[in-house]
Structure formats: structure tokens, C-alpha cells
Amino acid sequence: MESIGKLYGFYDPEEMRDFFRKKSKKMFNKVTSLKKYITENLKDGDYITAGHSAIERTPVAALMELLKELRVKPRKNLKYGAMGGGFSTIFIFSSNLFKACDVSYTAGLEALGIPRIIRKRFETGEIKVTEWTNATLSWRVKAAGMGLPFLPARDLLTTDTKKYSASKEIMCPFTSKKYAAIPALYPDIAFIHVHAADIYGNCYIKGTVCADVDMAKASKKVVITTERLVPTDFFRDNPQNTTIPFYLVDAVVEVPFGAHPGGMPFEYAMDVEFLKYMIKMFENENSFNDFMEKYIYGCNDFIEFIELCGGINYINKLRHKALQIKTFEEE
């Protein structure tokens, strides 16, 4: 069965090996602002992706700033890699600024449902889709991080997902059995939210990492948003704290609560009430536009967004929920 999906994000691995070889490995201060970095580095045709686990550890602050920049200065032919889907794609696909994408699981908020406006974007064909499974889309960045053009897999064979993917069928030279060749994926910009980072880009992620380390290895540019900046000794004294090393990272931005209204493992719980409200607002174009004007385009920075969502006192309640802390009065 031939695959009919369009191949996005693929470069010749030899070309990319040369690109990464020339990329600076110096330790220098990479702290910047999201607005400055996105404005100066986003270009026409870029392939964007984001690290996270469904509704957890999503780089919400980065994606909001991306949408604000695109409203001021639209870029043409942008593609998005919905890796793990979930919350990151809610803003991306609702905005209708991305016309092509790779998807596995996307646009769902687990038990909370799928926003109606996003379902419409896909059902009407406004967004061109190439399909993958969660595993195969993750293996695409793994292949890129390994400097390979593809990885062989049994996944996809004889399925409709295979048909709508951009994989190829190959014959194993050792067993003569059929496999799916899963092509490498090299994002132009990857946004990843982490628990802690130093000024050079060394990063610490606590809990599930998903495909984020492979994504960092595969991407041309890696933008880290972090809950907090920490001294470099945090990594030097305990090398096991280094989830993503500095030489893979291009920019570091400190954004406390930067995954809200999603959750941050061991930091704060997802804001279920706000997410329910958001899904309701995404029922039609008018209420969606009202939501975007108030919560995205109308906020000068992420701190203003947090204030609109209830402020630091409300976030602390979400922190207590994540940490299973009760006050004396609640005992």
C-alpha cells in the first residue's frame, strides 16, 4: 500500500550533520525574551514543534507569543508537528495560521473533549494533514537525532494511518520481511518547557520526558522556557540533573508557570475550570475571537495572562493540588 501523505520536515541527513557540526558549542549566556527571539528567528516555511506530554508541561507561554508575533507579521507556509498532540495544538490549529501539519494524537483535552472549532478546521480540510502514530512521529525525531534518514518499524503496516502517512515500505536485507521506513524529522524551531535551566541552556525535566530529548537533538533551533533559572552548579554538582545539555539549546527564557493552564508535574496542577471555559469559548468563531483578544492578543506578557486566570494566589492553589498539600483548615 502506497502512502499518500506529504512529507514535511525532512532534510538530507548529511546536510543536517554538517549544519549541527558548525553550530556553536560555546557556553555563553542565552537568556533572552520570547518576543525578541521569535521576532528575529521565525521565517517563512518554518516547521515548528513543541515538547510536552498531552496537557502536561506544554510551552504555553512560548506558543502564545508565537501567535502574537504571527498576528503582527504573518509568515507563509508554516508547518507544525503535533507531537503528543493535546494542549499545544489547541492554540496552533484554532488560530488557522498553520496550513499543514504532521499529527498523531492532536487537539484533544483528554476527558474534557475536543474544541468544536478545531474539529471544523480538520473536517473542512482547511489544514492539510499527514498522519502518524504517537510512536512513529516520535521515532522521526529520533532518526534525525541519530543522523539517519529513517528508522524501520513494524508500526503502520496494513493500516489506514500508513496510507495517510509519508512512510515507505522497505524490505529487510537480513530477513526479507516488509517494514515501514519512518523518515527523519528536523524541526526548524522547537519550544520546550522545563523545570529548571541555567543561563547556558542546561535543562532539567522532572518526570516524563516523552520525545523532548530527541526533539532537542533533531531541531535546528531549540527555545527553552523554564519555571526557574538555577546556578550552573546545579548541573555540575549532579550531572544526572542534565536532561538536555546546553550545546543543543539556542535560547533560554524564564517563565514561571509557563505551562498554565496545563499542568506542570510536581509544580502545579492543570486548571480544569479554565480549560472547560476555553472549550466552551471555542464553540464558534465569534466566541473564539473574543477569547483570543482577551487572553492572548490583549496580554502584554505572560504575567498578565496569569493575572487574568486568577493570579498568583490561584496558581498557588494549583501548586498545592499538584503537591497534595492541604492547609490546616482543610485537615
Side-chain angles (χ1 to χ4, degrees):
M1 177 174 60
E2 288 294 323
S3 299
I4 62 174
K6 189 168 182 179
L7 180 60
Y8 301 117
F10 182 85
Y11 291 93
D12 185 318
E14 295 306 315
E15 174 188 339
M16 292 309 300
R17 285 168 67 89
D18 186 57
F19 175 89
F20 291 128
R21 188 180 300 113
K22 293 176 180 177
K23 193 172 180 177
S24 174
K25 308 299 188 296
K26 293 180 180 179
M27 293 185 75
F28 61 93
N29 189 339
K30 298 172 184 174
V31 176
T32 185
S33 71
L34 284 168
K35 179 178 178 61
K36 176 178 172 59
Y37 191 85
I38 293 172
T39 299
E40 293 178 355
N41 289 276
L42 184 66
K43 61 184 186 302
D44 291 345
D46 273 351
Y47 188 110
I48 311 297
T49 193
H52 59 95
S53 174
I55 316 177
E56 296 287 300
R57 203 170 48 74
T58 303
V60 177
L63 296 176
M64 287 184 174
E65 193 60 48
L66 173 66
L67 295 183
K68 287 196 287 186
E69 169 62 21
L70 289 174
R71 191 192 202 197
V72 174
K73 184 181 177 183
R75 309 304 200 272
K76 300 176 182 177
N77 302 318
L78 295 176
K79 277 84 66 178
Y80 190 81
M83 206 160 299
F87 189 62
S88 72
T89 55
I90 299 298
F91 290 122
I92 292 298
F93 295 137
S94 296
S95 69
N96 214 19
L97 295 169
F98 288 73
K99 298 298 185 181
C101 64
D102 287 307
V103 301
S104 51
Y105 166 70
T106 187
L109 291 177
E110 307 293 349
L112 299 178
I114 301 174
R116 187 181 300 274
I117 195 172
I118 296 179
R119 186 185 294 275
K120 177 186 174 184
R121 301 276 191 252
F122 283 95
E123 289 178 347
T124 58
E126 293 178 56
I127 302 171
K128 304 304 179 186
V129 176
T130 299
E131 293 185 14
W132 306 91
T133 63
N134 282 339
T136 49
L137 194 49
S138 297
W139 294 338
R140 290 194 63 192
V141 291
K142 181 175 286 293
M146 296 171 68
L148 299 173
F150 68 90
L151 284 175
R154 296 179 185 271
D155 202 353
L156 297 187
L157 291 176
T158 73
T159 68
D160 273 353
T161 304
K162 159 74 171 66
K163 178 181 178 181
Y164 293 102
S165 75
S167 64
K168 301 287 186 182
E169 291 187 0
I170 59 171
M171 193 72 72
C172 174
F174 302 104
T175 65
S176 297
K177 295 187 183 298
K178 191 179 294 184
Y179 286 85
I182 311 301
L185 168 60
Y186 295 93
D188 293 294
I189 302 178
F191 297 103
I192 302 174
H193 190 61
V194 304
H195 291 78
D198 68 6
I199 64 173
Y200 306 115
N202 292 300
C203 300
Y204 172 63
I205 297 174
K206 187 175 183 179
T208 303
V209 175
C210 294
D212 291 13
V213 176
D214 288 325
M215 185 187 298
K217 293 177 181 178
S219 300
K220 288 185 173 181
K221 297 182 179 70
V222 177
V223 179
I224 296 295
T225 56
T226 180
E227 288 290 323
R228 60 187 61 84
L229 286 171
V230 296
T232 301
D233 286 347
F234 175 81
F235 300 99
R236 287 177 174 164
D237 293 348
N238 298 283
Q240 68 271 19
N241 286 342
T242 309
T243 310
I244 298 173
F246 73 93
Y247 54 83
L248 299 177
V249 174
D250 297 86
V252 177
V253 185
E254 186 177 32
V255 190
F257 317 118
H260 182 80
M264 187 69 178
F266 313 102
E267 293 281 344
Y268 45 88
M270 71 179 73
D271 189 345
V272 175
E273 293 308 312
F274 184 86
L275 293 175
K276 287 180 179 178
Y277 166 72
M278 187 178 73
I279 290 178
K280 183 178 179 181
M281 294 297 287
F282 282 30
E283 283 288 305
N284 59 68
E285 297 287 348
N286 289 335
S287 57
F288 165 73
N289 289 333
D290 290 343
F291 177 93
M292 296 295 285
E293 287 296 335
K294 179 177 180 179
Y295 289 98
I296 310 300
Y297 303 132
C299 293
N300 290 319
D301 53 34
F302 200 68
I303 295 174
E304 287 192 18
F305 171 73
I306 292 296
E307 288 301 315
L308 281 177
C309 293
I312 189 65
N313 289 333
Y314 181 65
I315 296 293
N316 277 331
K317 291 181 180 179
L318 296 176
R319 289 184 65 249
H320 290 172
K321 185 176 181 180
L323 299 172
Q324 298 182 334
I325 297 172
K326 291 185 178 181
T327 64
F328 177 77
E329 292 79 7
E330 294 172 316
E331 290 290 349

